[in-house]
Amino acid sequence: MDGQGSAAQEALYHALDETVSRLYGEGRLADALKAVEAEAPRIPARRADTAHLAACLLTLTGRPEDALAALCTALADGAWWSPAILVDDDDLAAVRDLEGFAPLLRESTARHATATGVPLPPVVRRPQGDPGGIPRGVLVVLHGADQNAALAAEQWAAAVDAGLVLVAVDSSQRSTPLYRSWPDIGVGIRDITAALAELDEADSSLPLLAAGFSAGARVAVLWALSDAAVRPSGFLAVGPALTPAHLDGERRARAAQGAVRGRILVGDQDDDVTPEIYDAHAMLADAGADVTLETIPGLGHAFPAGFGRSLPGLLESLLVTRPRPAGC
């Protein structure tokens, strides 16, 4: 399947996912199931994801045997799911009591173990021509849940025009063949480290910044506050899925050292990450961290309008050098 076909299927899938989420929230489970059954044949690349949606809805509408059959058929077509999806999803509780569930789980778990944890080469974009041909820094960008590095490279492309080498990283952590996210911070930092190893020596000596959206934004923040040998001096987090529980004593102590500068952008309608992000920011501020948070009116869990125009200025504020506190 070419890139255009893949993009079209991704658009169809995400539109379907939004429709199902809305109908699910309204309690219209039968209508949600009809939507999945109508659209799934048009999205073969998302076979595992649409089968999971169908199985959940079939179970909730009193048809657990049909739900198991839907999962088994998808498995036969090459699909798989992480153990957490099959074992922890409350919507599939009735399926787990059926005789055929154990072999399904066993085979899916084996496929997941083989497929996940394998890093992909990063998407790298470099400044071209004058005056942006000589890079001023490196920006590592991290995609949100169920997104990928190619999309992140598009979302943050204005950084290249601002003179930065852009390194978009795919998470190696997968819940289905196409669903990538960042549940394990340590694995995420390993993926980032592997991506940075692809750069030449000249790029590796440039100032390093981190950025991301949603789950990727969380990793950007926590990488900056980690003890990794290579870590950024600043971060830009859009709608970060960050909570106080992520900020343990060691991370707060590093924040208090003042070696990291951060900017957080969050919409006042972003129910996905608020109010936890406000509490997390307050914790960082109380520790003395140089991290500012800007709330954007009317914005949900998305990038702000005109983000490409504002991005160079946001990055410039993070690139400005300043004296480091004594002892850091």
Side-chain angles (χ1 to χ4, degrees):
M1 181 170 55
D2 60 24
Q4 185 175 4
S6 176
Q9 288 198 38
E10 284 298 288
L12 285 171
Y13 172 72
H14 287 293
L16 172 63
D17 192 44
E18 289 182 7
T19 297
V20 170
S21 295
R22 175 177 57 80
L23 294 173
Y24 184 101
E26 295 172 358
R28 297 167 58 189
L29 302 180
D31 289 338
L33 179 57
K34 288 179 182 177
V36 173
E37 291 174 338
E39 292 297 316
R42 302 172 61 196
I43 321 172
R46 283 286 188 160
R47 185 75 172 91
D49 304 279
T50 56
H52 175 246
L53 288 175
C56 290
L57 294 165
L58 285 165
T59 305
L60 293 172
T61 52
R63 299 164 58 188
E65 293 84 1
D66 291 340
L68 179 60
L71 293 172
C72 289
T73 300
L75 187 78
D77 291 339
W80 53 263
W81 307 268
S82 69
I85 286 182
L86 297 176
V87 173
D88 297 338
D89 192 332
D90 292 340
D91 291 344
L92 296 176
V95 174
R96 291 192 284 272
D97 296 331
L98 300 177
E99 183 177 352
F101 178 76
L104 169 78
L105 176 62
R106 192 162 50 245
E107 176 60 23
S108 182
T109 299
R111 294 183 189 180
H112 171 262
T114 300
T116 198
V118 180
L120 294 177
V123 177
V124 180
R125 300 285 183 265
R126 302 183 56 82
Q128 301 292 325
D130 295 327
I134 301 175
R136 306 167 55 231
V138 173
L139 179 68
V140 173
V141 298
L142 308 175
H143 61 79
D146 203 15
Q147 297 179 349
N148 57 36
L151 177 60
E154 294 177 10
Q155 293 167 329
W156 299 88
V160 181
D161 296 331
L164 280 79
V165 178
L166 185 148
V167 181
V169 183
D170 271 308
S171 173
S172 67
Q173 302 173 71
R174 294 195 278 172
S175 299
T176 72
L178 289 183
Y179 188 108
R180 296 178 180 271
S181 193
W182 310 87
D184 187 308
I185 302 302
V187 174
I189 293 175
R190 186 197 69 187
D191 292 342
I192 295 167
T193 302
L196 290 174
E198 300 283 328
L199 300 181
D200 60 29
E201 185 175 350
D203 289 340
S204 299
S205 66
L206 294 170
L208 179 63
L209 301 177
F213 172 69
S214 192
R218 177 182 66 239
V219 178
V221 175
L222 298 181
W223 175 36
L225 298 177
S226 75
D227 60 357
V230 177
R231 59 183 183 271
S233 61
F235 64 82
L236 175 57
V238 178
L242 184 71
T243 73
H246 294 113
L247 300 173
D248 58 22
E250 292 183 2
R251 288 170 177 142
R252 294 198 303 274
R254 293 188 192 98
Q257 293 173 359
V260 178
R261 178 179 298 177
R263 296 286 301 274
I264 297 172
L265 306 180
V266 63
D268 67 353
Q269 304 298 313
D270 190 347
D271 296 334
D272 286 15
V273 303
T274 60
E276 290 86 355
I277 184 55
Y278 296 126
D279 298 332
H281 174 255
M283 184 175 288
L284 290 171
D286 289 344
D290 184 3
V291 178
T292 61
L293 184 149
E294 179 182 355
T295 300
I296 300 173
L299 182 67
H301 194 57
F303 283 82
F307 180 70
R309 294 190 299 273
S310 62
L311 180 57
L314 293 167
L315 295 175
E316 189 66 34
S317 70
L318 297 173
L319 282 169
V320 173
T321 58
R322 58 192 172 151
R324 292 182 60 169
C328 293

